[in-house]
């Protein structure tokens, strides 16, 4: 075979398949841009549709994107003369091999579907679970995106959340505030209790059912810890917590004015955060 024949073979092939090749390339380009368009459209418009859960949007958008690309690839190969049945057979075999090799990845997809179906969390809610905490930004096919209290980007596999206990700080309509006031044991307990109850009941955010309470929580040496408990709407939790804490501190100190004693105040530990002393963040910020 001469050198000229070596060049003529690919040239002849290109000449005979030029239209099909250009069509295949055009289909791939169209599928690529269509997938991006569908992804943005579904993600942005689906949450605005009445009666549609906004948590489905990211997962459906990703499924539409990858599905469009795969369909475009199959169509492009069929233009080049490859049988669609053969393509799907190869894809099936490849899919089986990938499924065996990437069992963890497929578990994430299943976990993402279950998280959206059972809805232990929703976009915009603050959650903690298995070492991660933040406001839910997106529940995708493979992982969940969160935003931390300091604005950091957090990406965690769906299985990490699905296989752990999820604490949702935003789901319930109300939350309980616990404020500890450390006072000397010589204080008039009845007066102190009435003072703290007056602070709680005078705040319009504090609910009357169940009513706020003040009780002796524990004794520490010659000190007594009084705990004030009050229920407030969840969106008002942090603001009410700060206000009631400050007012309780000032009121008890006024009671102790003229003596060498003073009140030591603290907020009871929140058992639903990652670290002792950490509090639920300001949601929506």
């Amino acid at each position: 075979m001469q050198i000229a024949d070596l060049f003529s073979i690919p040239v002849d092939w290109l000449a005979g398949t030029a239209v099909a090749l250009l069509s295949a390339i055009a289909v791939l380009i169209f599928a690529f841009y269509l997938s991006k368009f569908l992804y943005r459209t579904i993600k942005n418009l689906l949450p605005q549709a009445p009666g549609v859960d906004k948590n489905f949007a990211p997962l459906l958008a990703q499924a539409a994107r990858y599905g469009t690309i795969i369909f475009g690839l199959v169509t492009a190969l069929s233009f080049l003369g490859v049988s669609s049945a053969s393509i799907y057979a190869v894809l099936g075999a490849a899919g089986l091999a990938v499924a065996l090799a990437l069992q963890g990845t497929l578990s994430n997809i299943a976990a993402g579907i279950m998280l959206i179906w059972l809805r232990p969390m929703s976009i915009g809610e603050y959650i903690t679970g298995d070492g991660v905490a933040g406001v839910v930004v997106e529940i995708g096919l493979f992982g969940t995106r969160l935003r931390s209290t300091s604005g950091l980007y957090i990406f965690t596999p769906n299985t990490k959340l699905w296989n752990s206990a999820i604490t949702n700080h935003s789901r319930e309509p109300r939350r309980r505030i616990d404020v500890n006031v450390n006072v000397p044991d010589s204080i008039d307990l009845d007066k102190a209790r009435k003072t703290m109850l007056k602070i709680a009941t005078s705040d319009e955010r504090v609910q009357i059912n169940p009513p706020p309470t003040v009780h002796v929580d524990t004794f520490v040496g010659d000190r007594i810890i009084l705990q004030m408990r009050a229920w407030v709407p969840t969106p008002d939790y942090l603001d009410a917590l700060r206000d009631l804490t400050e007012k309780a501190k000032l009121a008890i100190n006024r009671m102790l004015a003229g003596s060498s004693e003073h009140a030591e105040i603290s907020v009871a530990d929140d058992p639903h955060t990652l670290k002792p002393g950490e509090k639920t963040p300001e949601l929506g910020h």
Side-chain angles (χ1 to χ4, degrees):
M1 181 179 293
Q2 298 181 356
I3 296 178
D5 294 333
L6 294 177
F7 285 101
S8 65
I9 293 175
V11 170
D12 292 340
W13 181 83
L14 287 174
T17 60
V19 175
L21 185 61
L22 291 175
S23 299
I25 294 174
V27 167
L28 288 175
I29 295 174
F30 177 75
F32 175 75
Y33 284 102
L34 179 62
S35 67
K36 294 179 65 175
F37 171 77
L38 290 175
Y39 177 81
R40 289 195 301 266
T41 301
I42 295 174
K43 187 175 181 180
N44 296 330
L45 296 183
L46 189 62
Q48 302 176 19
V52 177
D53 190 341
K54 62 182 178 181
N55 297 294
F56 283 99
L59 189 146
L60 292 178
Q62 292 178 8
R65 182 178 187 178
Y66 297 135
T68 302
I69 292 175
I70 293 175
F71 180 77
L73 180 61
V74 172
T75 304
L77 289 175
S78 66
F79 274 113
L80 296 177
V82 181
S83 172
S84 298
S86 301
I87 297 173
Y88 288 119
V90 172
L91 287 176
L96 179 60
V98 171
L100 294 175
L102 301 176
Q103 295 183 42
T105 300
L106 295 178
S107 297
N108 283 321
I109 296 176
I113 294 173
M114 294 305 297
L115 287 172
I116 292 176
W117 182 262
L118 297 180
R119 288 181 284 188
M121 60 186 183
S122 296
I123 295 173
E125 293 181 333
Y126 180 85
I127 63 143
T128 58
D130 197 14
V132 295
V135 176
V136 179
V137 177
E138 177 182 291
I139 306 173
L141 274 176
F142 305 104
T144 298
R145 289 199 294 122
L146 305 171
R147 184 179 65 251
S148 73
T149 57
S150 56
L152 296 179
Y153 173 96
I154 300 175
F155 182 86
T156 182
N158 288 329
T159 52
K160 187 176 180 69
L161 292 175
W162 176 248
N163 293 327
S164 68
I166 297 175
T167 300
N168 192 321
H169 293 242
S170 309
R171 182 64 57 86
E172 295 299 324
R174 63 182 183 179
R175 288 195 60 182
R176 194 184 74 193
I177 290 175
D178 295 347
V179 177
N180 291 342
V181 182
N182 190 320
V183 298
D185 59 4
S186 59
I187 197 172
D188 186 333
L189 283 178
D190 187 57
K191 185 177 179 180
R193 181 180 289 108
K194 290 179 179 179
T195 299
M196 294 174 66
L197 282 175
K198 183 178 180 180
I199 291 171
T201 55
S202 62
D203 192 310
E204 62 181 12
R205 293 166 297 192
V206 174
Q207 299 185 354
I208 60 175
N209 186 25
T213 61
V214 177
H215 63 275
V216 176
D217 186 62
T218 186
F219 295 90
V220 181
D222 61 349
R223 311 284 295 186
I224 298 174
I225 297 180
L226 294 175
Q227 186 173 91
M228 176 173 64
R229 292 182 174 181
W231 289 86
V232 298
T234 297
D236 297 327
Y237 173 76
L238 268 187
D239 289 337
L241 176 64
R242 292 167 179 154
D243 292 343
L244 294 179
T245 301
E246 180 178 347
K247 290 177 181 178
K249 166 72 172 176
L250 295 175
I252 298 299
N253 276 344
R254 281 195 296 268
M255 283 186 58
L256 299 172
S259 68
S260 59
E261 301 286 358
H262 63 278
E264 297 176 2
I265 195 163
S266 64
V267 179
D269 287 339
D270 188 339
H272 304 302
T273 51
L274 296 179
K275 302 176 183 177
E278 186 180 12
K279 302 301 169 191
T280 300
E282 298 183 52
L283 304 178
H285 292 270

